[in-house]
Amino acid sequence: MRTNMITMSGARIAGLAGGLAVAAMALIVPIAAGARTETAAPAPARLARYERQVVRWTGCRLGSSDDLGGALDAAGARCAMLTVPLDYADPGGRTITVAISRLAAADPAHRDGALLLNGGGPGGGSIDLPLDFRSLMKDVGGRFDLIGMDPRSSGRSTPVDCGWPTGTWTRAPGPDRRGFERVVALERDLADRCARRHADLLPYVSTRNTARDIDVVRAALGERTISYYGASYGTYLGAVYAQMFPGHVGRMVLDSATDPRRYGAETMLADAAPANEAALRDWAAWTARRDGTYHLGGTRRAVLATVTRIIRAAARRPLPVGDRRVDSQIVPFVLFNGLDDDRDEAAASLAADVRVLADAAAGRMVRPTPNLQDTLDFVLTGAESAYGGSQAAVLCGDRAVDRDPEHYWRRIQAVRREQPVLGPFVTDISPCAFWPFRPRERPTRVHNAVPALIVASTGDTRTIYPHAQGLHRLLTRSRLLTLRGARIHAVYPRYDDACVNDRVNAYLAGGRLPATDVTCA
């Protein structure tokens, strides 16, 4: 799965174990005065055919090459396709399908309902997640029906695949105006491809409609409430669901949260420019201490100078790396993609990739590491076109952006001074500037008293820590669980921190939030 907001992770969630269970729970605080909720619409009677549909569980494997379906079947999971309205304003009109998986509770006598899982993106499917979370949740996992869902436009649900020549629209502008104009042309072309292929679907791909789909899933499963875990973009989806359907929320965990007021293609990653530049400096210091292995420089400054030389060389002439050509618009992507995890293994992987790029910049024949090959295949081929198109459809369908390329050029020039390597990358233009449809609904104004546990690391480079703090203030009955001094995105499933994981599992087990915010060091 992809946990990263906007771009690719390369790291799947793995079943993690660690530490003794902690029962650090206390009474939930009372509802805060003045918190706003939103009336769910349309009226339930209009959706009765969807909410009362029979869920037909089948095997998950779609064919001999379907490894994901085979793994789900082997674990005892079952899959189903649910019918939902394309347009909830016209529930009698065209329908689409939403794919779900279920790993039924192993302890029916102590069953705590259904827990729906979303791994982020947007654009990625999540029907695989029950396999990983059953072990991650330890004894608690057996008390839930674990539900994976591919949101509309993604995975096995009715898809949006725009036929892109890339898996992502994210690019750096390069060092000059000519490079920026190439990105502008690319983003316009990507938007045009989506318009040509999916004009019938794009107006109805949005987080609000996905939240409505979740509520149809809840009702069709016969659940009065549904619990929820969401990471990265999944925190925004969860917050929107809580705002639209506050009475239907069970236990809610929002991991590596985005501030709903800052969510969108124009603002979300731009806010992360300082965090990414700081992470690059930290990684450079780590690499300098291992100069005998990577030979990228013996000081942080020397390593950063090597990175700058690589980018300049790639701007003069694309670097041949195996069968790929890497220009100055792609090098920052490689760096960004490796900076969401501060552990040695992730730092070493990025250092090995940069060593390959440095050799290519020096004119040597090189072969990519397996990780670098995966990254370049993702960004330079259409193998994962469906992921990129679905992601853009959600972001562009949720919030309008400035449509003037000059606006982005000015932002890029301003950010170069303080964040010269990754600042331009995260502030660049997106296909939303050329999207053929304006959002059909206003962005959801999140502010309510639905209880939730928000998890965040202070060094997150994708959904930055101030965003988690912002969501915490908007969800007035939430608690914030902070992993201090760490740089990791999707803390609970990826970092294996006993302090964090035990507290998340304790909340899921008992349904009671900590009395106060909690910090793990």
Side-chain angles (χ1 to χ4, degrees), residues 211-273:
R212 294 176 176 117
D213 295 342
I214 289 174
D215 208 56
V216 168
V217 170
R218 173 202 60 77
L221 293 176
E223 303 289 341
R224 185 181 64 82
T225 63
I226 191 163
S227 294
Y228 180 86
Y229 169 89
S232 192
Y233 161 78
T235 65
Y236 179 70
L237 173 59
V240 169
Y241 181 77
Q243 188 68 33
M244 295 177 68
F245 302 97
H248 296 169
V249 179
R251 300 161 199 183
M252 176 169 280
V253 178
L254 304 176
D255 188 346
S256 302
T258 188
D259 186 331
R261 296 165 298 187
R262 302 298 297 170
Y263 165 81
E266 188 175 347
T267 52
M268 201 161 46
L269 276 186
D271 289 352

Side-chain angles (χ1 to χ4, degrees), residues 77-160:
R78 303 289 281 171
C79 290
M81 301 294 289
L82 297 188
T83 302
V84 298
L86 173 65
D87 179 5
Y88 277 86
D90 180 22
R94 180 181 169 185
T95 63
I96 59 175
T97 55
V98 170
I100 63 172
S101 63
R102 181 181 70 178
L103 195 57
D107 186 5
H110 299 92
R111 182 179 178 275
D112 284 331
L115 172 62
L116 190 141
L117 307 165
N118 182 277
S126 292
I127 65 167
D128 59 327
L129 293 193
L131 304 183
D132 301 309
F133 273 73
R134 175 59 57 86
S135 58
L136 179 67
M137 294 170 66
K138 301 181 182 177
D139 294 342
V140 185
R143 292 165 56 175
F144 288 91
D145 286 351
L146 299 180
I147 308 296
M149 171 179 159
D150 286 351
R152 63 167 58 201
S153 83
S154 71
R156 301 186 182 194
S157 298
T158 299
V160 166

Side-chain angles (χ1 to χ4, degrees), residues 86 94 96 152 158-160 198-205 437:
L86 173 65
R94 180 181 169 185
I96 59 175
R152 63 167 58 201
T158 299
V160 166
H198 293 297
D200 57 333
L201 294 178
L202 294 182
Y204 309 102
V205 178
F437 303 101

Side-chain angles (χ1 to χ4, degrees), residues 432-465:
C432 298
F434 309 102
W435 208 244
F437 303 101
R438 298 298 181 119
R440 294 171 63 88
E441 298 183 84
R442 294 177 182 272
T444 305
R445 189 180 181 190
V446 174
H447 185 220
N448 61 65
V450 174
L453 182 64
I454 300 172
V455 184
S457 72
T458 53
D460 196 335
T461 57
R462 307 300 169 87
T463 49
I464 58 175
Y465 187 64

Side-chain angles (χ1 to χ4, degrees), residues 435-496:
W435 208 244
F437 303 101
R438 298 298 181 119
R440 294 171 63 88
E441 298 183 84
R442 294 177 182 272
T444 305
R445 189 180 181 190
V446 174
H447 185 220
N448 61 65
V450 174
L453 182 64
I454 300 172
V455 184
S457 72
T458 53
D460 196 335
T461 57
R462 307 300 169 87
T463 49
I464 58 175
Y465 187 64
H467 278 208
Q469 293 172 309
L471 180 61
H472 180 33
R473 288 189 289 270
L474 295 175
L475 300 182
T476 59
R477 219 169 146 192
S478 65
R479 289 290 178 257
L480 179 59
L481 173 57
T482 299
L483 181 59
R484 178 166 52 85
R487 171 170 34 92
I488 186 67
H489 187 65
V491 182
Y492 173 64
R494 293 184 64 204
Y495 211 61
D496 196 19

